[in-house]
Amino acid sequence: MGGEGSMMHAVNSVKENRKLLKKRKLKSVDDVFGKKNSTFLSFKKSSPKDILRVQKDMQLQKQRNLKIQVVSFLMTVLIILGIYLLLS
């Protein structure tokens, strides 16, 4: 019968993997996530003037994006309509 060699290889592979699992060291929580007090973040304080400027910039960007989306949608509809009319 064929296949005995491949089955023996599968059994040996499982045994070797089991041996490797026994050698594995367990990681502590600090090794995985880092120490609790090791990171300190400091944020710059913003003035109300800076906040208003950023808000205005975001509104302008939102308006630009909306215009681009509307124009690209209309162009797509016109192109599809043109192709449909040419083919029919």
Side-chain angles (χ1 to χ4, degrees):
M1 285 202 158
E4 294 90 10
S6 61
M7 286 307 300
M8 185 55 106
H9 177 69
V11 170
N12 287 337
S13 179
V14 170
K15 286 180 184 177
E16 291 298 321
N17 287 339
R18 229 180 268 135
K19 287 179 189 175
L20 288 175
L21 281 176
K22 291 178 183 175
K23 292 180 183 178
R24 184 185 297 178
K25 292 181 182 177
L26 294 178
K27 293 183 180 182
S28 68
V29 175
D30 290 338
D31 292 339
V32 177
F33 296 109
K35 303 231 185 247
K36 291 181 182 177
N37 296 329
S38 65
T39 305
F40 177 74
L41 300 175
S42 61
F43 296 104
K44 181 178 130 181
K45 299 292 181 186
S46 351
S47 66
K49 189 176 183 180
D50 290 336
I51 294 173
L52 287 175
R53 181 183 54 80
V54 169
Q55 285 177 345
K56 285 182 183 179
D57 290 344
M58 289 173 61
Q59 287 174 351
L60 288 174
Q61 185 65 37
K62 186 176 179 181
Q63 289 175 355
R64 287 185 198 125
N65 288 344
L66 183 63
K67 286 179 185 177
I68 290 171
Q69 287 177 350
V70 168
V71 169
S72 61
F73 175 74
L74 290 176
M75 291 298 292
T76 304
V77 169
L78 288 175
I79 288 172
I80 291 174
L81 185 63
I83 291 173
Y84 176 74
L85 290 175
L86 284 174
L87 294 177
S88 62

